[in-house]
Amino acid sequence: MEDDRSENGIVEHKAYARVGLLGNPSDVYYGRAISFSLGNFWASVRLEPSTDLVIFPHPTHDLVQFNSLPYLVNRLQTDGYYGGVRLLMAICKIFYNYCKENNINLHDRNFKLSYDTNIPRQTGLSGSSAIVCAALSCLLDFYKVRHLIKLEDFSKKHMEELGHGLYMPMTMDLLPPLYLIYAENPSDSGKVHSTVRQKWLDGDKFIISSMEEVANIPLEGHTALLEKDYTKLANLMNRNFDLRRQMFGDDALGALNIEMVEVARRVGAASKFTGSGGAVVVFCPDGPSQAKLLEDACEKAGFVFQPAKVMPSFLNEVDIETLSSKLKQTI
């Protein structure tokens, strides 16, 4: 998260896209994940003091005017009913309720919120989360309550006891060069969780044991990164995706998403989804020559291929102070 504060009380924050390197989708099943911020794409939010509280729609992502009825229907079929305004409204509500429930006093001045983003839609790169994170950071600074809001926000024990998960920053220097593959016309990443989650809730033994295995992959991955055992890292990335494929099935994951993984594997690279589908994170253990082979293969397949720009943590001293004392010792 980067910030750019101007005069006259204007606050601007940027949040980068996020890649799930290991562990997903166990992160929504009381599991673990190793993720990193992706500097290739970001969302930014601007908060400006105002007489009235106003949330501005984005001129591209929140269209309310169309050339024709067929154009409107086509837009909804390709992009859905989603946009950033609903996200800004939702984080405002959650922020206010959290402060009220925790007796955090807020001043009564109003603001205007606007946003922009270049994160490709439906690629599993946490585009919605980036908008929310940037907006929340603006609210924390506008109301001057950053020191009162806990940063940590998946084991079942921590979620039940604390109401949130545990967050442990890691140094980006541990990572080898990574690459990103994504499709210009990706699938809807929001559809792939449905049946698996219900099976998990119903106590399906295969799903539960598989999710537990996925949750253990980040633990092994953490050790592999510390020891710079990149052969182990490659194996874990591939195993992570294989488990996901076994749980969700090819129909749910989609042929295009699977092909993005397979195009990397055919040149000997390790690959897995960055999130729920639509983009793939890749590690080329044989180095630049292997990456060039993959780039050529992606071009033939019609995929976008580019080096992943890993961003460092932007936690400031106030953010770090909201972490539990146990985790602060690891920073």
Side-chain angles (χ1 to χ4, degrees):
M1 181 85 64
E2 287 185 344
D3 69 284
D4 177 15
R5 305 182 190 188
S6 305
E7 297 179 355
N8 303 319
I10 297 174
V11 182
E12 295 187 62
H13 279 282
K14 176 190 290 185
Y16 290 100
R18 186 176 68 241
V19 169
L21 180 63
L22 293 173
N24 60 311
S26 76
D27 48 343
V28 291
Y29 298 87
Y30 298 126
R32 304 176 185 87
I34 294 178
S35 302
F36 64 85
S37 294
L38 180 71
N40 305 55
F41 306 108
W42 60 86
S44 60
V45 173
R46 174 186 173 97
L47 184 152
E48 183 177 351
S50 172
T51 302
D52 298 315
L53 199 161
V54 183
I55 296 179
F56 290 105
H58 191 278
T60 301
H61 305 301
D62 298 290
L63 283 182
V64 293
Q65 181 175 337
F66 305 90
N67 295 330
S68 65
L69 182 59
Y71 182 84
L72 180 151
V73 173
N74 182 66
R75 175 66 181 249
L76 294 179
Q77 288 175 337
T78 56
D79 295 342
Y81 295 86
Y82 304 116
V85 166
R86 67 188 177 100
L87 300 172
L88 297 180
M89 294 176 69
I91 191 58
C92 285
K93 175 186 175 183
I94 291 172
F95 171 77
Y96 174 80
N97 287 341
Y98 178 91
C99 291
K100 185 177 180 180
E101 292 168 2
N102 290 274
N103 298 313
I104 298 173
N105 295 322
L106 302 176
H107 61 70
D108 59 1
R109 298 188 294 277
N110 285 326
F111 55 85
K112 295 184 288 188
L113 273 183
S114 60
Y115 79 98
D116 196 8
T117 180
N118 64 3
I119 301 175
R121 294 187 69 257
Q122 299 177 354
T123 52
L125 291 172
S126 302
S128 295
S129 297
I131 295 172
V132 169
C133 289
L136 175 59
S137 210
C138 286
L139 293 171
L140 294 177
D141 288 342
F142 178 68
Y143 287 101
K144 302 186 186 306
V145 295
R146 181 176 293 273
H147 62 292
L148 299 175
I149 308 294
K150 287 188 177 296
L151 176 70
E152 300 149 349
D153 228 83
F154 326 101
S155 74
K156 191 172 189 292
K157 177 183 177 183
H158 291 135
M159 290 295 292
E160 291 179 346
E161 292 182 358
L162 304 176
H164 55 75
L166 293 178
Y167 174 83
M168 184 175 71
M170 296 171 59
T171 174
M172 58 184 285
D173 296 337
L174 296 175
L175 292 173
L178 298 169
Y179 300 88
L180 183 71
I181 299 174
Y182 66 95
E184 294 283 9
N185 186 26
S187 63
D188 184 350
S189 66
K191 295 179 180 178
V192 299
H193 289 307
S194 55
T195 60
V196 168
R197 183 158 189 84
Q198 189 56 53
K199 290 179 181 178
W200 183 77
L201 292 171
D202 292 340
D204 185 287
K205 292 183 179 180
F206 170 72
I207 296 298
I208 290 176
S209 63
S210 296
M211 283 297 180
E212 289 175 348
E213 184 174 351
V214 174
N216 285 328
I217 285 178
L219 294 178
E220 297 182 62
H222 184 227
T223 300
L225 288 171
L226 290 175
E227 296 176 352
K228 297 201 172 184
D229 185 350
Y230 295 138
T231 299
K232 177 70 171 178
L233 174 65
N235 291 334
L236 291 171
M237 290 175 65
N238 286 332
R239 179 59 178 160
N240 201 147
F241 176 77
D242 291 344
L243 285 167
R244 185 188 197 111
R245 188 174 186 177
Q246 291 169 17
M247 287 187 286
F248 288 90
D250 288 4
D251 289 342
L253 297 188
L256 188 67
N257 288 325
I258 293 172
E259 178 59 20
M260 282 189 286
V261 172
E262 294 295 344
V263 74
R265 291 191 175 185
R266 283 196 288 269
V267 301
S271 57
K272 63 175 294 296
F273 289 171
T274 60
S276 296
V280 167
V281 59
V282 179
F283 169 49
C284 295
D286 294 338
S289 60
Q290 188 177 41
K292 183 61 172 66
L293 288 175
L294 180 55
E295 182 178 11
D296 294 342
C298 285
E299 183 177 357
K300 291 180 181 178
F303 298 138
V304 179
F305 174 85
Q306 55 188 239
K309 183 179 180 181
V310 181
M311 302 301 291
S313 172
F314 289 100
L315 298 182
N316 58 35
E317 292 182 3
V318 176
D319 293 326
I320 292 173
E321 282 303 314
T322 69
L323 289 166
S324 65
S325 57
K326 177 181 178 182
L327 292 182
K328 281 188 284 188
Q329 296 172 4
T330 68
I331 300 176

